[in-house]
Each structure stands twice: as structure tokens, then as C-alpha cells.
Amino acid sequence: MLARLFSVFVLVVFAQMATAQGTLEARLTALGAQPCPDAPLLCLTLQMPLDHAAPSNGQTIDIRFGVHLATGGGQDVLFYATGGPGSSGIALSDGYLADLDPALTENLNIVFWEQRGTGGNHIILCPQAQSVFDLSDLPIDNPAQVITTVRAYVAGCQAELIDPGVLPYLSTDQAIRDLEVFRNIAGIAQVWLYGESYGTQFAQQYATVFGSALKGLVIAGVVRLDMTFEAYYANYTAAAEKILDRVFEGCAEIAECDANMQVPAQAAYAALEAQLAQGPELLQFPLPNGQTVTRPLTARMLALNAYYALYTPTARATFLRALALANEGDLLPMLRLAYDGLFIDSLTLQSVADQTQLPAAYFAILCSDFVEGGPNSDQNVRHILNEAQAFKTTAPRLDIVYYADRVVCAEWPVHGTAPTRPAFVGGSYPTFILTADTDPITTASMAYAVFDQVQNGYLVTQENGPHVIFGEGLPCPDVAVAQLLLRGQPPTVQEALCSRNLIGDYVPLPEDATPYLMLRSAVDAILSYPEFNSYSGDGTRQIGCNYGGEMILTQAAGTVDVTLTDCGLWSQNIFTGSLEYDVGNTAILRISAANPVQYDLAYRRDLVSGAETIVGTENGVAVETPRPLP
């Protein structure tokens, strides 16, 4: 092992001497980099000290880095720190690269990595313990039950791990040093660094220790370092409560949402919350084989659905639709939404977490970074729940968000050592801060506090925006970010403000008065299934329709194909047919049979222009829109 560590040292020295010699691709290839088998990147695995504080002990850990080479031959480098914690940048790279301005991928070599805990033999993955924990209640007024549930999760998770011995070495402080070793070995003099969500914590810690390596820093959805664990959770839970009110008020401003809800959205939520406070609502959940199983919808699920809905305008619209259906007595969409938010397979109830988001790795890194534990974990859990009881007046609906992570960290075997970190102050390089006033977890107030501390800082606030506002395809802030990364031009003003719609496209509840409205609603209903939206294209997915029958998802040639067999999308209509969904372009629904009306119809929607056409028959009579197909 010592010989291997010495060889790493030699590589670092060699690379530093050869920084200006050859392209980045040539240097990486000389180091043994090869195309990644699972991403469009050039991958290099490096053996790091398991503990950077004690490298001479000979223990190592393999960390994989993936580089998307600039398609235009540019030599500037962008380090891309993804969110979480608990996500592999390599696993996420394909989606992130697709969302970037082509000028960025043409001119920048973009580096992703598998952070400690997210890949290889160091992956922190415990699907059995995770699924049991995610579907368990954590009642604020029953500390004994919370302690039992959390302790069982922590013990069960450790038992499932490939190597629980890595748990003490997963902190962000260790991970930033892995990245710095890569930078030196790859012979990269200076880099641009982008971080989002947890990645902003990673980026600030890296910049604090290795500031001389930076050309500039862009952070979106900003974690504030100089807060205690309790203060951090109090800050964003209180903000989330206010944002939830704004979303409910926003429903009243959308005619379809207001009409579907029948009562004010706050009242619909309060009624369902009160119903579930009496105990779980037992639902008959449909399976693809036509049978049903009894499944509970819990108060915790409702609160988490409401909280997760705040992350994006699209999620806000989806939640409001589920709430409107719940107000009509249909609770299945709310249950499906809960499974989706918890990364639970609705068919098997098993955790479906993959390297894009590993819940156990989330805790392994989070709890290693912050202080929320001690020698008496039971006492710590009770103290947290007492704090939560007092905090409930501030967050009466979302109090679970304030304490759920904290009680896990109180029982987790590894804890951080310092209650806070120094405030991030930036450096001579530009620090570009991006935030939204409706970010429910890394709040605008955190971003403002960081901006007020840093040297050479710039700030963009997006009204009504999502958790992360970069990469959404909107000129603000994407144009300013591109100008900085491509030309080194900071924004022209220190602070800027832009805006977008609070709530995304709202899908009205089903209508079946005419073939057009029926088919339009059928497409909307299919696209509203969380299982459809979370389908990655891997293999085949079977979904039991809400009112019997099934839909089967497959992917081919860039489209998602849906086969409907006696599928009850809502209680009035049973469909057999198919949907061809070309993401972002067209949706074509072909219905070969439907009850009670007999249809043989093809409906097409251009997802860009919104143009719609129908051709076919209703009960044997021709039906056709007088529009040429686009």
C-alpha cells in the first residue's frame, strides 16, 4: 500500500511538471483513462488515501473521475459538484450535460466524480433497511417509537453495506482532497468550479482550502456554512411553510386549479391532514395483474409530498393536482406521489435508489459533516423531538422536515466534530451566487448571507424559481453564467433579479364530454403518473392503473412507449391502446378500444407548439379535426 501511495506522489509531481505539455485528453490517457462504460465520459480511477489526515497508514480508497472532453477542443476545465449529498456526478452527468448550453460543452472540459460513498466498493447502499425506514412513521409525540425505528434503520443499513469500515472517512473534508489530488495528477493549473445544492457546500469548502486553484466559483442553491445543524433546519423549514402558503394561493390564480380544488387549496390540505392525523388511510392499490393490495397513506407521506412539491414549479403543479383529486376522494395519486418522492417502487415497495441519489449515502456524508450526536443517542433524539414540539408553532404542517434527518444523525455511528464552520469569504476570483426566493431547502436568506460575506461577489435572485435555477434553459441566469465561464466576464451588476411562474403547467382533472377532451385528458393522466415521470428507460416497467388494468413502459429509439390494457385512467373510462411519447416533441395516443364508448382514435399533441389533432372513429362514426398534421 505504501508503494502505491508513493506512486501517487510521483504522478502528482510528474503531472505538475507536465501541466503545459499536451492536451488534457492526452494527459488523462497517459494516466490510464478509458471511456466510461456507463457514461459519455473519459474515466480515470485513482487510489486515494482512505484518510487524508493519515496517508502514511497505507489504507486506500478508489475514486473514479469522469471527464467530458470539450467537443470544440477547448482546454479550460469546469469541476461540476452535484447535489445530495449522496449522488454520483458520473451517474448524473448525462442529464446535466444535455441541459447545458452547447457552448459550454464545446469549450469546457467538464469533470464529474463519484464522491466517497456513491460508487465502487465504497458505495453506501442498503435497500432493505431503507425501504422499511422510508415507509415508517416518526411520530413527534412518541420518542420511543422514533428511537426504535431509527436505531433499526441504522443497524440494518450497516449490516447491508459492502464495507462499513469506510463510514468514518466519508466527510466532505476528505472528498475535497480527493478532487485536489485529481487536479494535480491531471496537470490542471486552474479550474472553474460549479456547485449546486449540497455541491455548494462542497465547493465552498474546496475554495476555502484550495482557493489558488480557482478561476471562479458559481454556486446555485447555496448552503450557508456558518450555521448550526439546528439553525439550518429551522431556517429552511420555516421558509418552506411560507412557500407552501404561496403555492396554495397560486392555485387560486389558475382557473383550472381553482375550479378543480372546489375549495381553497389551504382548506383542502387541512382537511386531508386532519383525516390522516386520525391514522393512516388504507387504500386498495392496483397491481398490474388486476389484483389490489391494501396500502396505507400516512400523515408523514402527505407532509413530505407537500415539502418535495416546493422544489420546482412542475412539482408544485403535480402536487396541487393530486390534492384536488384527494379532495374528490381519490387518494391514489397522493400515495403514488409519496412513493415517487421516497424512491420506493410502487409495485414491490422496495427502495429504488441508484447512484443518482443514495439515501443512505446522504446520511453517511451529512452526519459526518455536522454535529448532531453524542454518547447518549436516546437523550439526543428526545432533545430533538422536544425542540420540534416547540418549533411546531412555526411549522405546523412541515415539522417532520425539521427533525427527521436530525434524529437519524443522532443515532448514526459517525458525527461531525465542529458545531459550525467559518463563514465563506470567497477570494480574488469571482463568486457568482444563484438563488430563488421559493427555494425550500437552501433558502434565499442563506444565499444573501453568503453574498454579504464574500469578496468579489455577484448575486442573481429568481422570483418563484426552483431549488436550483441554473440549467433550466432560461436566459436569467444561464446567459450570465455562460459569459463568466466562457469569457471570464463577471455580471455587469452586483445584484440582479429575474422572475418566472411560481407553478408550472397545471394538468386539469379528467374530462370526457367529447373525444377531444377525453383523449387530451387521457394523455395528461398518463403523463401525471409519477412512475411514468421517474422512468429511466432501463428495462420494462409495469404499472397498475388507478381503476384497474395496466400500462407497460418500454423505451426505444428516443421514445417512451406505453401499452395500455384495460387501463382505468379514471373511473368512467377503460382504455386499450398505446402512447408514443417523444420527450419534448410529440405525444401520440392511439386508442383501439374504450368503455363505455367505443373509440378507434389517434390523438397527437405537438409538445412544442401545443397543436393537437384527432383522427378515427367514435362508435363507428368518423371523428377528425379539420387541421393538417404538423
Side-chain angles (χ1 to χ4, degrees), residues 39-40 80 89-100 112 356 471:
Y80 204 112
I90 291 176
L92 288 166
S93 61
D94 208 6
Y96 280 125
L97 290 167
D99 290 339
L100 290 177
F112 302 90
T356 62

Side-chain angles (χ1 to χ4, degrees), residues 82-159:
T82 56
S87 67
S88 159
I90 291 176
L92 288 166
S93 61
D94 208 6
Y96 280 125
L97 290 167
D99 290 339
L100 290 177
D101 183 328
L104 295 177
T105 53
E106 180 180 349
N107 292 285
L108 296 175
N109 298 283
I110 304 175
V111 179
F112 302 90
W113 57 94
E114 283 178 345
Q115 187 170 332
R116 292 171 178 234
T118 70
N121 289 335
H122 53 84
I123 194 169
I124 305 300
L125 180 63
C126 48
Q128 297 303 317
Q130 195 69 53
S131 57
V132 171
F133 174 72
D134 285 340
L135 293 172
S136 298
D137 233 348
L138 298 174
I140 192 173
D141 54 358
N142 192 337
Q145 181 178 337
V146 173
I147 290 168
T148 298
T149 301
V150 173
R151 185 166 293 166
Y153 165 63
V154 172
C157 188
Q158 290 182 83

Side-chain angles (χ1 to χ4, degrees), residues 514-520 600-606 610-618 621-630:
T514 67
Y516 162 70
L517 290 175
M518 184 273 296
L519 290 178
R520 181 185 188 190
D600 183 2
L601 294 171
Y603 164 87
R604 172 174 174 163
R605 181 187 303 172
D606 186 307
E612 299 165 296
T613 59
I614 296 174
V615 294
T617 62
E618 174 189 2
V621 178
V623 175
E624 184 173 359
T625 51
R627 309 168 187 168
L629 289 173

